[in-house]
């Protein structure tokens, strides 16, 4: 399946991209529906905080003395004021903090994302645009972008490929050994000092690279995401964070060229 690449103004650029049949061309069956259901169930389960808690009988502050004698009063027998039947007493089998998350196999999760993308492709609800770059976070710019694509009144999801930050350099470790001679340990110490100086120079270069990377990240992802944050029917996510729930919840998927390549590489491993 081929789609024309559009620019930020909604006009064709005169080139097409091929959607991978392994990712966007699955023949949907009943088992795919169940896999999508499991992925959505996992996503919603992970949204629950699980911090609910109520005090049980042993956690209530109060006296434990017996309120009155066991027999002869004509009333029911009572043990203490913390009885669950009393107002202010402990709760029986109350909720406790727990993790609602469920496990999903990697292959099942990958298949669910493929099924969701294939469903959107079959319904012609996928648009491919050139890589976006916003110099500032402005909602009106994102609204103009949606109006140019004729999806301003639809629930849309934009997938972008956010750049990955470079890995931080590892600090050298001082080697200490038992039973070494003083001369040998001195050589190790000198080597460590040399490695430490080289590490400090590498850290300085890494910090400069990180500052430049932050500017690129802001232009390609942060500013775009902030521009769509105030729009109730528009959302922006990183291609590596693609999930089934948001994919199925959107009426139209807008994918940048770099994000399309990232999704294809991610789901065809």
């Amino acid at each position: 399946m081929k789609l024309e690449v559009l620019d930020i103004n909604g006009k064709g650029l005169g080139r097409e991209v091929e959607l991978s049949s392994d990712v966007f061309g699955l023949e949907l069956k009943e088992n795919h529906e169940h896999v999508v259901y499991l992925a959505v169930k996992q996503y919603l389960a992970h949204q629950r905080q699980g911090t609910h808690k109520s005090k049980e009988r042993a956690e209530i502050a109060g006296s434990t003395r017996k309120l009155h004698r066991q027999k002869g009063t004509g009333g029911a027998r009572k043990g203490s004021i913390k009885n669950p039947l009393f107002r202010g007493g402990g709760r029986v089998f109350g909720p406790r903090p727990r993790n609602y998350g469920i496990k999903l196999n990697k292959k099942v999760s990958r298949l669910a994302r493929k099924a969701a993308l294939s469903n959107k492709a079959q319904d012609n609800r996928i648009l491919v645009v050139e890589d976006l770059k916003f110099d500032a976070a402005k909602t009106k710019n994102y609204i103009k972008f949606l109006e140019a694509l004729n999806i301003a009144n639809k629930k849309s999801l934009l997938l972008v490929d956010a750049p990955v930050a470079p890995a931080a350099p590892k600090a050298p470790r001082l080697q200490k050994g038992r039973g070494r001679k003083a001369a040998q340990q001195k050589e190790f110490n000198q080597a460590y000092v040399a490695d430490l100086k080289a590490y400090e120079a590498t850290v300085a270069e890494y910090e400069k690279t990180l500052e430049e990377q932050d500017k690129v990240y802001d232009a390609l992802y942060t500013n775009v995401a902030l521009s769509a944050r105030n729009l109730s029917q528009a959302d922006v996510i990183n291609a590596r964070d693609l999930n089934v729930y948001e994919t199925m919840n959107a009426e139209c998927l807008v994918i940048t060229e770099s994000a399309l390549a990232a999704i294809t590489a991610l789901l065809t491993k």
Side-chain angles (χ1 to χ4, degrees):
M1 181 178 182
K2 292 184 178 181
L3 291 179
E4 185 180 11
V5 181
L6 307 177
D7 62 5
I8 194 172
N9 298 317
K11 299 180 180 179
L13 294 176
R15 63 175 185 270
E16 295 181 342
V17 291
E18 180 76 25
L19 298 184
S20 174
S21 58
D22 294 336
V23 178
F24 297 89
L26 295 184
E27 295 182 4
L28 300 180
K29 302 177 182 178
E30 292 184 2
N31 62 330
H32 292 115
E33 295 181 3
H34 183 66
V35 168
V36 169
Y37 157 74
L38 292 177
V40 172
K41 180 180 178 181
Q42 183 197 38
Y43 177 86
L44 295 177
H46 280 287
Q47 305 308 305
R48 302 185 66 176
Q49 293 183 347
T51 55
H52 40 37
K53 177 71 174 68
S54 65
K55 289 186 178 182
E56 298 182 356
R57 184 166 181 168
E59 299 170 322
I60 295 293
S63 175
T64 58
R65 75 175 181 86
K66 192 169 177 63
L67 298 181
H68 56 72
R69 58 180 179 169
Q70 182 80 351
K71 295 179 178 294
T73 63
R77 52 196 174 183
K78 306 176 185 67
S80 72
I81 197 66
K82 298 190 289 185
N83 191 314
L85 299 179
F86 290 163
R87 184 175 183 273
R91 184 172 176 181
V92 181
F93 303 125
R96 297 181 177 181
R98 55 168 291 193
N99 179 16
Y100 284 93
I102 58 176
K103 181 181 178 299
L104 208 62
N105 293 337
K106 290 182 179 180
K107 290 184 178 180
V108 175
S109 177
R110 188 180 297 119
L111 180 61
R113 284 175 284 177
K114 288 181 179 181
L117 293 173
S118 298
N119 175 265
K120 295 299 180 183
Q122 290 181 5
D123 294 342
N124 295 321
R125 295 185 178 183
I126 295 180
L127 297 176
V128 180
V129 298
E130 63 178 349
D131 292 345
L132 303 180
K133 185 177 180 181
F134 283 11
D135 296 330
K138 293 185 178 180
T139 305
K140 63 180 181 181
N141 292 341
Y142 198 82
I143 293 177
K144 291 180 181 179
F145 169 67
L146 295 179
E147 291 176 347
L149 298 179
N150 297 322
I151 57 173
N153 297 325
K154 297 181 180 180
K155 198 163 189 177
S156 62
L157 176 64
L158 174 63
L159 300 175
V160 298
D161 184 24
V164 181
K170 293 183 178 180
R173 296 180 60 184
L174 178 61
Q175 298 182 4
K176 294 183 179 180
R178 295 181 180 178
R180 280 190 189 147
K181 294 182 180 179
Q184 189 177 11
Q185 184 62 41
K186 185 178 180 180
E187 293 179 1
F188 278 107
N189 293 344
Q190 291 175 350
Y192 171 74
V193 171
D195 293 341
L196 191 60
K197 291 181 179 179
Y199 168 72
E200 292 175 352
T202 306
V203 168
E205 295 179 1
Y206 169 75
E207 291 177 351
K208 292 181 181 178
T209 305
L210 205 59
E211 292 178 359
E212 297 175 358
Q213 186 76 10
D214 288 341
K215 295 179 181 179
V216 176
Y217 187 87
D218 289 342
L220 296 180
Y221 180 72
T222 305
N223 291 340
V224 178
L226 292 178
S227 298
R229 184 172 60 176
N230 289 335
L231 301 176
S232 60
Q233 293 191 336
D235 199 3
V236 178
I237 63 173
N238 187 3
R240 285 178 288 276
D241 298 330
L242 175 67
N243 61 80
V244 176
Y245 177 82
E246 292 183 311
T247 302
M248 297 300 295
N249 195 36
E251 296 181 53
C252 181
L253 287 182
V254 183
I255 309 176
T256 63
E257 288 184 280
S258 58
L260 181 62
I263 293 172
T264 305
L266 180 66
L267 299 181
T268 54
K269 288 183 179 179

